[in-house]
Amino acid sequence: GESREKDKGHIAMGIDIKAGGRKIASNNRTSPKSENPYIRLLVKLYRFLSRRTESGFNAVVLKRLFMSRVNRAPMSVSRLVSYTKGKENKIAVIVGTITDDARVQEMPKLTVCALRVTEGARARILKAGGEILTFDQLALRAPTGANTVLLRGPKNAREAVSHFGKAPGTPGSSAKPYVRAKGRKFEKARGKRSSRGFRV
């Protein structure tokens, strides 16, 4: 009975963990969720390069290869042209898609590297005498990212983003409401505003 009394004084106390558990890991991805074998091969390549070179460029490319499609926003040819003005001799690098833009009249000669280039954009770039590289070709040409311009598309240009934020109609909100149609009968404050039919 005496030994049992002694043990009572040395009961290991548990830690009081708040609801939701103890947060240990970060939420940053360490590998892509994509099952695409080509993406996975590029990850292998850039994981090696970011480990073996002192270049921040390779680390950023690797991080962006992990990203979801929403975070790898596409970039149009028009943005590409404006961002590379005066840097035409450098390689423009986009970890995402390059899309065509019919509004661009004059296309300069550009060297670009992207995960994907749409058919129209590809034709435009090649017609102007430009060059399109894949990321494995870029790794051979610029293993440290020297003489490159790293670009990314507008992530918040998605239509869905315009609905985010404070509830529509509340003071200081510029969020777009989810409305079925833009007709006279749908959320137009009809009867409460003279510009919308009549005002009571």
Side-chain angles (χ1 to χ4, degrees):
E2 206 174 294
S3 60
R4 196 179 289 173
E5 285 297 315
K6 275 183 185 173
D7 289 345
K8 267 188 180 174
H10 298 284
I11 294 169
M13 293 289 286
I15 326 165
D16 187 16
I17 295 176
K18 287 180 184 172
R22 191 186 331 184
K23 184 144 172 57
I24 297 167
S26 76
N27 285 333
N28 300 333
R29 284 187 181 186
T30 52
S31 63
K33 270 194 175 174
S34 167
E35 296 292 318
N36 186 333
Y38 299 107
I39 295 268
R40 292 202 168 256
L41 281 169
L42 286 180
V43 164
K44 271 190 171 182
L45 171 63
Y46 276 89
R47 214 188 273 280
F48 171 81
L49 286 171
S50 71
R51 190 177 74 242
R52 296 298 297 268
T53 61
E54 291 292 306
S55 154
F57 170 85
N58 290 325
V60 173
V61 168
L62 178 66
K63 189 176 82 174
R64 291 189 191 174
L65 284 169
F66 294 160
M67 288 181 178
S68 61
R69 250 179 79 177
V70 163
N71 292 319
R72 284 188 280 111
M75 181 181 274
S76 69
V77 163
S78 53
R79 268 178 198 266
L80 185 63
V81 169
S82 66
Y83 288 154
T84 52
K85 195 162 271 179
K87 302 171 188 170
E88 284 85 356
N89 58 336
K90 295 191 173 186
I91 303 169
V93 181
I94 294 116
V95 185
T97 306
I98 298 173
T99 56
D100 194 12
D101 194 338
R103 297 169 297 184
V104 176
Q105 301 300 321
E106 284 180 33
M107 188 75 194
K109 183 182 174 183
L110 294 173
T111 305
V112 299
C113 171
L115 283 179
R116 185 170 154 265
V117 183
T118 62
E119 210 174 321
R122 185 178 290 276
R124 294 283 292 278
I125 293 164
L126 296 176
K127 193 180 176 185
E131 192 183 359
I132 299 166
L133 304 175
T134 54
F135 274 93
D136 50 327
Q137 290 169 323
L138 178 74
L140 291 170
R141 199 176 292 194
T144 59
N147 214 26
T148 61
V149 185
L150 188 57
L151 304 170
R152 54 176 161 180
K155 194 181 122 180
N156 291 340
R158 288 190 310 138
E159 199 277 335
V161 177
S162 60
H163 297 285
F164 298 166
K166 273 186 82 180
T170 55
S173 161
S174 58
K176 184 178 178 180
Y178 290 103
V179 184
R180 200 166 15 135
K182 282 202 82 166
R184 167 186 59 80
K185 299 188 284 187
F186 306 98
E187 294 192 25
K188 291 287 186 198
R190 184 174 177 271
K192 288 284 177 193
R193 200 166 294 150
S194 48
S195 64
R196 295 283 174 270
F198 65 97
R199 183 164 189 266
V200 176

